[in-house]
Amino acid sequence: MTRLLRMPALGLLLLALAACGINTIPAKEEAAKAKWADVENQYQRRADLVPNLVATVKGFAAQEQEVLTAVTEARARASSVQLSAEDLSDPAKVARFQAAQDQLGQSLGRLLVTVERYPELKSSQNFLELQSQLEGTENRIAIARRDYNEAARAYNTEIRTFPSRITAQIVYGAQPLAYFEATAPNAAQAPQVAF
């Protein structure tokens, strides 16, 4: 008889645990970490393309050494700032990582402006292919950042809402994940274009 009473009690306990996010919280955290790995993968792809792009431009634009040096140095800085999945709940570390990546992006932008001065370089098949890959990578970075932000939002919402909030704090000691945010000054304003 006691055994028969334990079965419904066990069933109720399992139902209560399922309702408290005991499995949802780590699932959403792992999803956010997986999306973060996608962001890192795209940044690595960009870092791998930079030496090839610099080498291609260097052959045509020897006098633009300052821009090439800036791109190489920015790549080194961006590669040296590491951010693990465990650091995603520290907004300061995320901001440092993002700043290093933004600096590389700005250097690449200056390099592409420099290239405009060399029509023969712009028509080089190697350069066109590298430029296309770099543009595609920048788009992939934007998509990966958006996907990470969405996964972080889902996780942060889960750990802040009842009843999962209780489980998040008591069982996991969960901390909210930081979001990627626009870091460029006046990023919310449309640029002025004049011809």
Side-chain angles (χ1 to χ4, degrees):
M1 185 71 165
T2 312
R3 193 177 216 182
L4 289 174
L5 292 176
R6 286 186 189 168
M7 294 300 265
L10 181 61
L12 286 174
L13 179 62
L14 290 175
L15 183 62
L17 286 176
C20 288
I22 198 87
N23 291 324
T24 306
I25 293 168
K28 290 191 179 207
E29 182 180 29
E30 289 304 314
K33 286 179 180 180
K35 294 298 183 185
W36 174 250
D38 291 343
V39 171
E40 286 183 320
N41 182 38
Q42 295 308 321
Y43 279 134
Q44 184 62 51
R45 184 176 195 277
R46 178 173 71 178
D48 292 345
L49 285 172
V50 168
N52 294 330
L53 187 62
V54 169
T56 302
V57 173
K58 198 180 274 189
F60 284 90
Q63 63 270 31
E64 302 295 347
Q65 191 62 36
E66 180 182 325
V67 174
L68 296 172
T69 301
V71 170
T72 303
E73 289 173 356
R75 177 187 180 265
R77 279 191 299 278
S79 297
S80 70
V81 177
Q82 298 297 315
L83 187 69
S84 69
E86 289 73 34
D87 294 333
L88 293 174
S89 60
D90 185 346
K93 288 182 180 179
V94 172
R96 277 194 301 275
F97 180 83
Q98 188 173 346
Q101 294 299 331
D102 288 347
Q103 191 174 26
L104 176 56
Q106 291 168 359
S107 294
L108 287 171
R110 285 194 300 276
L111 177 64
L112 294 176
V113 167
T114 299
V115 166
E116 294 296 321
R117 297 184 202 141
Y118 300 95
E120 63 277 3
L121 174 60
K122 290 190 323 188
S123 65
S124 164
Q125 187 61 36
N126 286 344
F127 177 77
L128 291 174
E129 185 177 319
L130 285 169
Q131 185 178 20
S132 175
Q133 287 182 20
L134 189 59
E135 288 169 357
T137 299
E138 292 299 324
N139 289 335
R140 288 178 182 145
I141 288 170
I143 290 167
R145 286 171 128 186
R146 181 201 63 205
D147 291 348
Y148 165 75
N149 278 347
E150 178 55 31
R153 184 205 56 78
Y155 172 75
N156 290 347
T157 301
E158 185 69 28
I159 67 169
R160 288 186 171 136
T161 55
F162 184 81
S164 296
R165 182 180 180 123
I166 296 166
T167 305
Q169 290 184 352
I170 293 172
V171 176
Y172 298 112
Q175 296 293 319
L177 299 177
Y179 296 106
F180 270 107
E181 298 174 356
T183 58
N186 304 321
Q189 297 174 353
Q192 298 273 334
V193 178
F195 294 99

